């Protein structure tokens, strides 16, 4: 918004030169989102507690292990959603279609999660919206976003997927790109949701992935850097670095309240929206497969659930003591901080491997 307001002044306004730099605006977006999160956090936590009352926020199969967390309000992801949205609108170029696409996915998925969390807060159960209803809504938003991306993207890339580790190798999916992109967004959204089970576990890997995709968006949107690294050049994607920066700042602000012992849980409002926007940015920048590496922790958590369910249905036996994977290690006797910090380390390692593909192609 500031960029668009000051742009007509051009060089006559000396400070506008600063606003021309994505790096400057990204830094401002990080700090703005962080400050907003700090400012609204205490009041929002008090409001959520007042709304929750005696409603349960702990899944039935975890009530014994996580009994001490009973009463901790959920839906804290709302502070992340508000912080990122305001910061992005303030610092990004609002004439950029990709910014609006990413915001639409984030807010849309966040509203789905909000509906789910609100039912959990106001009703005496932890089920929320039905899984089918959430999935239909996610697919609908993902479909709109995909068609919009295909309309805006260069014709030479709007049906294509880049293959990591190979220079200038693209897979033309044709119209199959539509279900592919929808699956990436919906899958990323639900993968983050599955990972969100321990204090601070999901928010740090989200921040790491957002930082990585901020860099990727900046490079993909720059003709010189993309040519040097031999990665797809998608004009306009650099503005997504602003949103990624805002997400990093908001994530750090939320972690202040979500660090063990958590004062608030992000709930589906946070996990669905953050996962969804990461998926959208991966589709826009043509780095969907790289997301699977950078967000490998989310993939591992999702796969653990799939393997557990498939094994039990086919053989009647469980592979893990409990799924998702973080609960398996809890059952093995690892303390919650140990699980969280070790999973953070894994997230950092996978992110570095994912970023290495930018040069190895």
């Amino acid at each position: 918004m500031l960029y668009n307001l000051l742009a007509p002044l051009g060089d006559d306004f000396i400070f506008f030169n600063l606003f021309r730099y994505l790096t400057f605006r990204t830094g401002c977006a990080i700090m703005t989102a962080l400050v907003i999160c700090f400012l609204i956090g205490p009041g929002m936590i008090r409001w959520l507690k007042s709304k929750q009352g005696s409603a349960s926020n702990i899944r039935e199969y975890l009530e014994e292990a996580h009994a001490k967390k009973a009463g901790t309000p959920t839906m804290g992801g709302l502070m992340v959603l508000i912080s990122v949205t305001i910061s992005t609108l303030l610092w990004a170029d609002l004439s950029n279609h990709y910014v609006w696409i990413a915001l639409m996915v984030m807010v849309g998925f966040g509203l789905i999660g909000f509906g789910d969390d609100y039912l959990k807060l106001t009703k005496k159960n932890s089920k929320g919206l039905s899984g089918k209803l959430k999935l239909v809504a996610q697919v609908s938003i993902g479909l709109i976003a995909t068609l919009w991306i295909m309309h805006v993207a260069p014709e030479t890339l709007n049906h294509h997927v880049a293959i990591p580790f190979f220079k200038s190798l693209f897979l033309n999916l044709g119209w199959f790109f539509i279900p592919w992109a929808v699956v990436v967004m919906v899958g990323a959204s639900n993968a983050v949701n599955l990972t969100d089970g321990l204090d601070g576990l999901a928010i740090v890997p989200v921040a790491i992935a957002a930082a990585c995709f901020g860099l990727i968006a900046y490079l993909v949107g720059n003709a010189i850097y993309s040519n040097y690294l031999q990665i797809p050049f998608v004009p306009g994607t650099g503005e997504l670095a602003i949103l990624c920066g805002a997400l990093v700042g908001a994530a750090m602000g939320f972690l202040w309240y979500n660090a063990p012992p958590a004062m608030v849980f992000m709930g589906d409002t946070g996990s669905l929206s953050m996962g969804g926007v990461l998926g959208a940015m991966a589709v826009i920048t043509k780095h969907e497969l790289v997301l699977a590496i950078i967000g490998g922790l989310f993939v591992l958590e999702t796969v653990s659930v799939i393997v557990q369910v498939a094994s039990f249905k086919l053989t009647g036996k469980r592979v893990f003591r409990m799924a998702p994977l973080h609960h398996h290690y809890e059952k093995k006797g690892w303390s919650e901080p140990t699980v969280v910090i070790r999973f953070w380390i894994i997230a950092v390692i996978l992110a570095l491997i994912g970023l290495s593909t930018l040069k190895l192609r």
Side-chain angles (χ1 to χ4, degrees):
M1 184 182 294
L2 287 175
Y3 178 88
N4 298 92
L5 288 174
L6 296 175
L9 299 176
D11 294 331
D12 294 332
F13 186 67
I14 188 170
F15 293 109
F16 180 66
N17 287 327
L18 286 174
F19 289 85
R20 294 182 189 273
Y21 294 106
L22 273 173
T23 49
F24 172 77
R25 289 187 285 128
T26 300
C28 290
I30 293 172
M31 295 308 300
T32 301
L34 179 66
V35 170
I36 292 173
C37 229
F38 280 154
L39 291 175
I40 68 175
M44 183 163 290
I45 292 171
R46 288 194 297 271
W47 177 74
L48 292 173
K49 282 185 176 179
S50 69
K51 288 293 182 181
Q52 181 166 312
S54 60
S56 173
N57 59 351
I58 307 297
R59 292 183 176 92
E60 291 83 354
Y61 56 83
L62 292 173
E63 285 183 350
E64 183 178 348
H66 291 182
K68 61 184 179 182
K69 299 184 181 184
T72 305
T74 188
M75 204 160 71
L78 190 59
M79 70 176 74
V80 176
L81 202 57
I82 292 171
S83 301
V84 174
T85 302
I86 293 175
S87 184
T88 302
L89 291 176
L90 189 61
W91 295 107
D93 177 4
L94 300 185
S95 66
N96 186 290
H97 284 270
Y98 294 127
V99 171
W100 288 108
I101 293 170
L103 281 175
M104 181 197 72
V105 172
M106 184 182 70
V107 174
F109 279 41
L111 288 175
I112 297 169
F114 179 85
D116 186 70
D117 289 336
Y118 190 77
L119 289 178
K120 292 175 184 176
L121 277 171
T122 57
K123 306 296 181 182
K124 294 184 178 180
N125 68 79
S126 59
K127 295 180 180 178
L129 294 174
S130 70
K132 289 182 179 179
L133 179 59
K134 287 195 289 187
L135 183 61
V136 169
Q138 286 176 303
V139 169
S140 299
I141 294 170
L143 180 60
I144 294 170
T146 300
L147 294 175
W148 195 352
I149 292 168
M150 291 172 64
H151 175 71
V152 175
E155 290 186 9
T156 54
L157 290 173
N158 61 3
H159 295 87
H160 295 69
V161 175
I163 308 299
F165 302 107
F166 293 92
K167 298 178 180 181
S168 303
L169 179 60
F170 299 93
L171 182 62
N172 188 348
L173 297 180
W175 288 106
F176 286 104
F177 179 80
I178 296 176
W180 161 259
V182 172
V183 167
V184 169
M185 285 183 251
V186 175
S189 177
N190 288 292
V192 174
N193 182 248
L194 288 172
T195 306
D196 179 34
L198 300 177
D199 297 350
L201 177 59
I203 194 66
V204 170
V206 164
I208 292 169
C212 291
F213 270 92
L215 175 61
I216 290 171
Y218 179 78
L219 297 174
V220 168
N222 187 294
I224 297 173
Y225 292 141
S226 59
N227 181 62
Y228 171 71
L229 294 171
Q230 295 183 302
I231 58 178
F233 171 53
V234 185
T237 58
E239 285 295 319
L240 291 177
I242 309 277
L243 192 152
C244 290
L247 184 51
V248 171
M252 294 300 97
F254 178 75
L255 181 62
W256 184 269
Y257 304 105
N258 188 237
M263 299 169 62
V264 65
F265 301 144
M266 74 165 68
D268 284 12
T269 306
S271 59
L272 293 183
S273 61
M274 288 186 276
V277 76
L278 287 174
M281 287 188 286
V283 173
I284 292 170
T285 59
K286 301 299 171 184
H287 279 71
E288 300 96 324
L289 296 178
V290 174
L291 175 62
I293 302 173
I294 291 174
L297 179 64
F298 306 131
V299 175
L300 289 173
E301 294 273 33
T302 304
V303 169
S304 71
V305 173
I306 295 171
V307 170
Q308 185 86 324
V309 172
S311 176
F312 187 75
K313 286 188 175 181
L314 294 174
T315 68
K317 298 180 180 179
R318 292 180 172 86
V319 176
F320 305 102
R321 295 186 182 185
M322 184 179 287
L325 193 60
H326 54 265
H327 291 316
H328 168 76
Y329 288 104
E330 272 195 301
K331 290 291 186 180
K332 289 188 69 175
W334 290 18
S335 68
E336 182 170 339
T338 299
V339 176
V340 170
I341 293 173
R342 287 178 178 173
F343 275 43
W344 287 353
I345 294 171
I346 293 171
V348 170
I349 293 170
L350 291 172
L352 293 174
I353 294 172
L355 286 178
S356 72
T357 65
L358 298 180
K359 185 58 181 172
L360 291 175
R361 282 186 188 158

